[in-house]
PDB file of all heavy atoms in Angstrom:
ATOM      1  N   THR A  76     -20.757  22.314 -16.350  1.00  0.00           N
ATOM      2  CA  THR A  76     -19.764  23.104 -15.581  1.00  0.00           C
ATOM      3  C   THR A  76     -18.730  22.230 -14.952  1.00  0.00           C
ATOM      4  O   THR A  76     -17.533  22.633 -14.928  1.00  0.00           O
ATOM      5  CB  THR A  76     -20.488  24.042 -14.510  1.00  0.00           C
ATOM      6  OG1 THR A  76     -21.350  24.886 -15.105  1.00  0.00           O
ATOM      7  CG2 THR A  76     -19.465  24.796 -13.702  1.00  0.00           C
ATOM      8  N   LEU A  77     -19.189  21.159 -14.353  1.00  0.00           N
ATOM      9  CA  LEU A  77     -18.182  20.200 -13.694  1.00  0.00           C
ATOM     10  C   LEU A  77     -17.221  19.651 -14.739  1.00  0.00           C
ATOM     11  O   LEU A  77     -16.116  19.562 -14.491  1.00  0.00           O
ATOM     12  CB  LEU A  77     -19.016  19.053 -12.993  1.00  0.00           C
ATOM     13  CG  LEU A  77     -18.209  18.013 -12.411  1.00  0.00           C
ATOM     14  CD1 LEU A  77     -17.206  18.582 -11.385  1.00  0.00           C
ATOM     15  CD2 LEU A  77     -19.005  16.919 -11.782  1.00  0.00           C
ATOM     16  N   ALA A  78     -17.843  19.280 -15.929  1.00  0.00           N
ATOM     17  CA  ALA A  78     -16.942  18.679 -16.911  1.00  0.00           C
ATOM     18  C   ALA A  78     -15.865  19.740 -17.372  1.00  0.00           C
ATOM     19  O   ALA A  78     -14.667  19.364 -17.683  1.00  0.00           O
ATOM     20  CB  ALA A  78     -17.696  18.288 -18.220  1.00  0.00           C
ATOM     21  N   ARG A  79     -16.287  20.981 -17.512  1.00  0.00           N
ATOM     22  CA  ARG A  79     -15.331  22.016 -17.875  1.00  0.00           C
ATOM     23  C   ARG A  79     -14.220  22.255 -16.852  1.00  0.00           C
ATOM     24  O   ARG A  79     -12.999  22.297 -17.133  1.00  0.00           O
ATOM     25  CB  ARG A  79     -16.078  23.286 -18.174  1.00  0.00           C
ATOM     26  CG  ARG A  79     -15.142  24.457 -18.657  1.00  0.00           C
ATOM     27  CD  ARG A  79     -15.992  25.669 -19.108  1.00  0.00           C
ATOM     28  NE  ARG A  79     -16.608  26.346 -17.954  1.00  0.00           N
ATOM     29  CZ  ARG A  79     -17.877  26.270 -17.722  1.00  0.00           C
ATOM     30  NH1 ARG A  79     -18.651  25.623 -18.614  1.00  0.00           N
ATOM     31  NH2 ARG A  79     -18.477  26.928 -16.641  1.00  0.00           N
ATOM     32  N   HIS A  80     -14.646  22.267 -15.628  1.00  0.00           N
ATOM     33  CA  HIS A  80     -13.686  22.410 -14.543  1.00  0.00           C
ATOM     34  C   HIS A  80     -12.735  21.232 -14.303  1.00  0.00           C
ATOM     35  O   HIS A  80     -11.577  21.378 -14.097  1.00  0.00           O
ATOM     36  CB  HIS A  80     -14.342  22.624 -13.073  1.00  0.00           C
ATOM     37  CG  HIS A  80     -14.970  24.066 -12.940  1.00  0.00           C
ATOM     38  ND1 HIS A  80     -14.206  25.173 -13.073  1.00  0.00           N
ATOM     39  CD2 HIS A  80     -16.207  24.446 -12.658  1.00  0.00           C
ATOM     40  CE1 HIS A  80     -14.914  26.267 -12.878  1.00  0.00           C
ATOM     41  NE2 HIS A  80     -16.164  25.805 -12.660  1.00  0.00           N
ATOM     42  N   PHE A  81     -13.284  20.024 -14.552  1.00  0.00           N
ATOM     43  CA  PHE A  81     -12.566  18.759 -14.395  1.00  0.00           C
ATOM     44  C   PHE A  81     -11.403  18.773 -15.473  1.00  0.00           C
ATOM     45  O   PHE A  81     -10.345  18.442 -15.096  1.00  0.00           O
ATOM     46  CB  PHE A  81     -13.515  17.665 -14.611  1.00  0.00           C
ATOM     47  CG  PHE A  81     -12.977  16.291 -13.997  1.00  0.00           C
ATOM     48  CD1 PHE A  81     -13.341  15.944 -12.641  1.00  0.00           C
ATOM     49  CD2 PHE A  81     -12.038  15.529 -14.615  1.00  0.00           C
ATOM     50  CE1 PHE A  81     -12.824  14.786 -12.159  1.00  0.00           C
ATOM     51  CE2 PHE A  81     -11.589  14.358 -14.170  1.00  0.00           C
ATOM     52  CZ  PHE A  81     -11.953  13.978 -12.858  1.00  0.00           C
ATOM     53  N   GLU A  82     -11.751  19.067 -16.693  1.00  0.00           N
ATOM     54  CA  GLU A  82     -10.751  18.985 -17.752  1.00  0.00           C
ATOM     55  C   GLU A  82      -9.696  20.081 -17.563  1.00  0.00           C
ATOM     56  O   GLU A  82      -8.578  19.949 -17.849  1.00  0.00           O
ATOM     57  CB  GLU A  82     -11.429  19.043 -19.040  1.00  0.00           C
ATOM     58  CG  GLU A  82     -10.460  18.815 -20.285  1.00  0.00           C
ATOM     59  CD  GLU A  82     -11.169  18.392 -21.538  1.00  0.00           C
ATOM     60  OE1 GLU A  82     -12.419  18.340 -21.520  1.00  0.00           O
ATOM     61  OE2 GLU A  82     -10.432  18.239 -22.600  1.00  0.00           O
ATOM     62  N   LYS A  83     -10.210  21.325 -17.124  1.00  0.00           N
ATOM     63  CA  LYS A  83      -9.237  22.378 -16.930  1.00  0.00           C
ATOM     64  C   LYS A  83      -8.159  22.049 -15.804  1.00  0.00           C
ATOM     65  O   LYS A  83      -7.027  22.371 -15.984  1.00  0.00           O
ATOM     66  CB  LYS A  83     -10.076  23.666 -16.505  1.00  0.00           C
ATOM     67  CG  LYS A  83      -9.044  24.824 -16.338  1.00  0.00           C
ATOM     68  CD  LYS A  83      -9.924  26.139 -15.978  1.00  0.00           C
ATOM     69  CE  LYS A  83      -9.025  27.264 -15.676  1.00  0.00           C
ATOM     70  NZ  LYS A  83      -9.824  28.492 -15.374  1.00  0.00           N
ATOM     71  N   GLU A  84      -8.617  21.406 -14.732  1.00  0.00           N
ATOM     72  CA  GLU A  84      -7.730  21.126 -13.628  1.00  0.00           C
ATOM     73  C   GLU A  84      -6.876  19.859 -13.844  1.00  0.00           C
ATOM     74  O   GLU A  84      -5.833  19.750 -13.235  1.00  0.00           O
ATOM     75  CB  GLU A  84      -8.530  21.050 -12.336  1.00  0.00           C
ATOM     76  CG  GLU A  84      -9.057  22.395 -11.907  1.00  0.00           C
ATOM     77  CD  GLU A  84      -9.590  22.412 -10.455  1.00  0.00           C
ATOM     78  OE1 GLU A  84      -8.973  21.729  -9.652  1.00  0.00           O
ATOM     79  OE2 GLU A  84     -10.536  23.076 -10.141  1.00  0.00           O
ATOM     80  N   THR A  85      -7.389  18.862 -14.617  1.00  0.00           N
ATOM     81  CA  THR A  85      -6.674  17.663 -14.719  1.00  0.00           C
ATOM     82  C   THR A  85      -6.028  17.353 -16.015  1.00  0.00           C
ATOM     83  O   THR A  85      -5.164  16.577 -16.240  1.00  0.00           O
ATOM     84  CB  THR A  85      -7.482  16.373 -14.456  1.00  0.00           C
ATOM     85  OG1 THR A  85      -8.507  16.300 -15.377  1.00  0.00           O
ATOM     86  CG2 THR A  85      -8.200  16.544 -13.020  1.00  0.00           C
ATOM     87  N   GLY A  86      -6.505  18.180 -17.088  1.00  0.00           N
ATOM     88  CA  GLY A  86      -6.086  17.981 -18.511  1.00  0.00           C
ATOM     89  C   GLY A  86      -6.678  16.713 -19.090  1.00  0.00           C
ATOM     90  O   GLY A  86      -6.480  16.474 -20.313  1.00  0.00           O
ATOM     91  N   LEU A  87      -7.599  16.025 -18.429  1.00  0.00           N
ATOM     92  CA  LEU A  87      -8.313  14.880 -18.948  1.00  0.00           C
ATOM     93  C   LEU A  87      -9.916  15.207 -18.867  1.00  0.00           C
ATOM     94  O   LEU A  87     -10.401  15.856 -18.006  1.00  0.00           O
ATOM     95  CB  LEU A  87      -8.034  13.719 -18.217  1.00  0.00           C
ATOM     96  CG  LEU A  87      -6.599  13.208 -18.189  1.00  0.00           C
ATOM     97  CD1 LEU A  87      -6.410  12.042 -17.330  1.00  0.00           C
ATOM     98  CD2 LEU A  87      -6.071  12.872 -19.654  1.00  0.00           C
ATOM     99  N   SER A  88     -10.640  14.543 -19.781  1.00  0.00           N
ATOM    100  CA  SER A  88     -12.081  14.468 -19.562  1.00  0.00           C
ATOM    101  C   SER A  88     -12.343  13.645 -18.368  1.00  0.00           C
ATOM    102  O   SER A  88     -11.586  12.823 -17.990  1.00  0.00           O
ATOM    103  CB  SER A  88     -12.765  14.028 -20.846  1.00  0.00           C
ATOM    104  OG  SER A  88     -12.489  12.644 -20.956  1.00  0.00           O
ATOM    105  N   PHE A  89     -13.546  13.783 -17.833  1.00  0.00           N
ATOM    106  CA  PHE A  89     -14.060  12.947 -16.749  1.00  0.00           C
ATOM    107  C   PHE A  89     -13.953  11.465 -17.142  1.00  0.00           C
ATOM    108  O   PHE A  89     -13.423  10.645 -16.386  1.00  0.00           O
ATOM    109  CB  PHE A  89     -15.396  13.333 -16.344  1.00  0.00           C
ATOM    110  CG  PHE A  89     -15.961  12.345 -15.267  1.00  0.00           C
ATOM    111  CD1 PHE A  89     -15.656  12.442 -13.935  1.00  0.00           C
ATOM    112  CD2 PHE A  89     -16.907  11.315 -15.710  1.00  0.00           C
ATOM    113  CE1 PHE A  89     -16.138  11.535 -13.027  1.00  0.00           C
ATOM    114  CE2 PHE A  89     -17.419  10.478 -14.744  1.00  0.00           C
ATOM    115  CZ  PHE A  89     -17.073  10.594 -13.393  1.00  0.00           C
ATOM    116  N   ARG A  90     -14.396  11.137 -18.290  1.00  0.00           N
ATOM    117  CA  ARG A  90     -14.366   9.694 -18.796  1.00  0.00           C
ATOM    118  C   ARG A  90     -12.920   9.208 -18.800  1.00  0.00           C
ATOM    119  O   ARG A  90     -12.692   8.062 -18.453  1.00  0.00           O
ATOM    120  CB  ARG A  90     -15.039   9.658 -20.137  1.00  0.00           C
ATOM    121  CG  ARG A  90     -15.214   8.189 -20.625  1.00  0.00           C
ATOM    122  CD  ARG A  90     -15.890   8.164 -21.961  1.00  0.00           C
ATOM    123  NE  ARG A  90     -16.037   6.879 -22.448  1.00  0.00           N
ATOM    124  CZ  ARG A  90     -16.632   6.551 -23.682  1.00  0.00           C
ATOM    125  NH1 ARG A  90     -17.256   7.439 -24.365  1.00  0.00           N
ATOM    126  NH2 ARG A  90     -16.646   5.236 -24.032  1.00  0.00           N
ATOM    127  N   GLN A  91     -12.053   9.995 -19.449  1.00  0.00           N
ATOM    128  CA  GLN A  91     -10.676   9.521 -19.543  1.00  0.00           C
ATOM    129  C   GLN A  91     -10.037   9.333 -18.154  1.00  0.00           C
ATOM    130  O   GLN A  91      -9.330   8.348 -17.917  1.00  0.00           O
ATOM    131  CB  GLN A  91      -9.797  10.608 -20.316  1.00  0.00           C
ATOM    132  CG  GLN A  91     -10.219  10.637 -21.815  1.00  0.00           C
ATOM    133  CD  GLN A  91      -9.549  11.881 -22.427  1.00  0.00           C
ATOM    134  OE1 GLN A  91      -9.378  12.945 -21.823  1.00  0.00           O
ATOM    135  NE2 GLN A  91      -9.091  11.685 -23.635  1.00  0.00           N
ATOM    136  N   TRP A  92     -10.331  10.287 -17.250  1.00  0.00           N
ATOM    137  CA  TRP A  92      -9.649  10.214 -15.875  1.00  0.00           C
ATOM    138  C   TRP A  92     -10.238   8.899 -15.136  1.00  0.00           C
ATOM    139  O   TRP A  92      -9.417   8.276 -14.545  1.00  0.00           O
ATOM    140  CB  TRP A  92     -10.066  11.471 -15.101  1.00  0.00           C
ATOM    141  CG  TRP A  92      -9.234  11.650 -13.896  1.00  0.00           C
ATOM    142  CD1 TRP A  92      -8.079  12.314 -13.734  1.00  0.00           C
ATOM    143  CD2 TRP A  92      -9.476  11.050 -12.602  1.00  0.00           C
ATOM    144  NE1 TRP A  92      -7.657  12.254 -12.400  1.00  0.00           N
ATOM    145  CE2 TRP A  92      -8.503  11.406 -11.745  1.00  0.00           C
ATOM    146  CE3 TRP A  92     -10.534  10.169 -12.050  1.00  0.00           C
ATOM    147  CZ2 TRP A  92      -8.447  11.006 -10.402  1.00  0.00           C
ATOM    148  CZ3 TRP A  92     -10.464   9.800 -10.777  1.00  0.00           C
ATOM    149  CH2 TRP A  92      -9.445  10.243  -9.882  1.00  0.00           C
ATOM    150  N   ARG A  93     -11.567   8.691 -15.236  1.00  0.00           N
ATOM    151  CA  ARG A  93     -12.137   7.594 -14.548  1.00  0.00           C
ATOM    152  C   ARG A  93     -11.522   6.211 -15.088  1.00  0.00           C
ATOM    153  O   ARG A  93     -11.215   5.304 -14.333  1.00  0.00           O
ATOM    154  CB  ARG A  93     -13.599   7.514 -14.685  1.00  0.00           C
ATOM    155  CG  ARG A  93     -14.266   6.402 -13.832  1.00  0.00           C
ATOM    156  CD  ARG A  93     -15.805   6.506 -13.920  1.00  0.00           C
ATOM    157  NE  ARG A  93     -16.229   6.389 -15.343  1.00  0.00           N
ATOM    158  CZ  ARG A  93     -17.471   6.280 -15.651  1.00  0.00           C
ATOM    159  NH1 ARG A  93     -18.425   6.495 -14.704  1.00  0.00           N
ATOM    160  NH2 ARG A  93     -17.928   6.191 -16.868  1.00  0.00           N
ATOM    161  N   GLN A  94     -11.334   6.208 -16.507  1.00  0.00           N
ATOM    162  CA  GLN A  94     -10.690   4.990 -17.009  1.00  0.00           C
ATOM    163  C   GLN A  94      -9.296   4.715 -16.561  1.00  0.00           C
ATOM    164  O   GLN A  94      -8.997   3.637 -16.223  1.00  0.00           O
ATOM    165  CB  GLN A  94     -10.716   5.131 -18.597  1.00  0.00           C
ATOM    166  CG  GLN A  94     -10.028   3.979 -19.289  1.00  0.00           C
ATOM    167  CD  GLN A  94     -10.095   4.085 -20.748  1.00  0.00           C
ATOM    168  OE1 GLN A  94     -11.187   3.972 -21.401  1.00  0.00           O
ATOM    169  NE2 GLN A  94      -8.873   4.319 -21.427  1.00  0.00           N
ATOM    170  N   GLN A  95      -8.557   5.850 -16.460  1.00  0.00           N
ATOM    171  CA  GLN A  95      -7.149   5.731 -15.922  1.00  0.00           C
ATOM    172  C   GLN A  95      -7.090   5.263 -14.418  1.00  0.00           C
ATOM    173  O   GLN A  95      -6.264   4.501 -14.090  1.00  0.00           O
ATOM    174  CB  GLN A  95      -6.388   6.984 -16.158  1.00  0.00           C
ATOM    175  CG  GLN A  95      -6.024   7.136 -17.592  1.00  0.00           C
ATOM    176  CD  GLN A  95      -5.138   8.254 -18.002  1.00  0.00           C
ATOM    177  OE1 GLN A  95      -5.072   8.709 -19.101  1.00  0.00           O
ATOM    178  NE2 GLN A  95      -4.316   8.668 -17.044  1.00  0.00           N
ATOM    179  N   ALA A  96      -8.015   5.814 -13.682  1.00  0.00           N
ATOM    180  CA  ALA A  96      -8.134   5.404 -12.304  1.00  0.00           C
ATOM    181  C   ALA A  96      -8.521   3.877 -12.137  1.00  0.00           C
ATOM    182  O   ALA A  96      -7.872   3.178 -11.475  1.00  0.00           O
ATOM    183  CB  ALA A  96      -9.227   6.153 -11.492  1.00  0.00           C
ATOM    184  N   ARG A  97      -9.331   3.436 -13.030  1.00  0.00           N
ATOM    185  CA  ARG A  97      -9.566   1.979 -13.077  1.00  0.00           C
ATOM    186  C   ARG A  97      -8.521   1.169 -13.645  1.00  0.00           C
ATOM    187  O   ARG A  97      -8.290   0.081 -13.074  1.00  0.00           O
ATOM    188  CB  ARG A  97     -10.933   1.795 -13.860  1.00  0.00           C
ATOM    189  CG  ARG A  97     -12.131   2.257 -13.198  1.00  0.00           C
ATOM    190  CD  ARG A  97     -13.472   2.052 -14.131  1.00  0.00           C
ATOM    191  NE  ARG A  97     -14.625   2.308 -13.428  1.00  0.00           N
ATOM    192  CZ  ARG A  97     -15.820   2.353 -13.926  1.00  0.00           C
ATOM    193  NH1 ARG A  97     -16.002   2.063 -15.164  1.00  0.00           N
ATOM    194  NH2 ARG A  97     -16.908   2.629 -13.219  1.00  0.00           N
ATOM    195  N   LEU A  98      -7.725   1.714 -14.569  1.00  0.00           N
ATOM    196  CA  LEU A  98      -6.593   1.006 -15.063  1.00  0.00           C
ATOM    197  C   LEU A  98      -5.622   0.742 -13.987  1.00  0.00           C
ATOM    198  O   LEU A  98      -4.999  -0.285 -13.940  1.00  0.00           O
ATOM    199  CB  LEU A  98      -6.060   1.680 -16.364  1.00  0.00           C
ATOM    200  CG  LEU A  98      -4.861   1.156 -16.956  1.00  0.00           C
ATOM    201  CD1 LEU A  98      -5.246  -0.313 -17.573  1.00  0.00           C
ATOM    202  CD2 LEU A  98      -4.389   2.045 -18.114  1.00  0.00           C
ATOM    203  N   ILE A  99      -5.308   1.810 -13.293  1.00  0.00           N
ATOM    204  CA  ILE A  99      -4.397   1.671 -12.165  1.00  0.00           C
ATOM    205  C   ILE A  99      -4.752   0.654 -11.154  1.00  0.00           C
ATOM    206  O   ILE A  99      -3.942  -0.179 -10.695  1.00  0.00           O
ATOM    207  CB  ILE A  99      -4.158   3.130 -11.400  1.00  0.00           C
ATOM    208  CG1 ILE A  99      -3.437   3.964 -12.418  1.00  0.00           C
ATOM    209  CG2 ILE A  99      -3.527   2.897 -10.140  1.00  0.00           C
ATOM    210  CD1 ILE A  99      -3.308   5.454 -11.876  1.00  0.00           C
TER     211      ILE A  99
END
């Protein structure tokens, strides 16, 4: 459920979002 909500609200999977946060 969290994965579904996360991708719906950010347009990214949780893994993709975390990677970009670390990249920044």
Side-chain angles (χ1 to χ4, degrees):
T76 299
L77 176 57
R79 186 172 64 251
H80 283 306
F81 201 96
E82 188 159 1
K83 181 180 179 180
E84 293 196 32
T85 67
L87 299 174
S88 70
F89 172 78
R90 182 177 180 181
Q91 290 171 325
W92 194 96
R93 185 178 60 177
Q94 176 177 291
Q95 289 188 199
R97 288 179 172 177
L98 181 62
I99 287 173

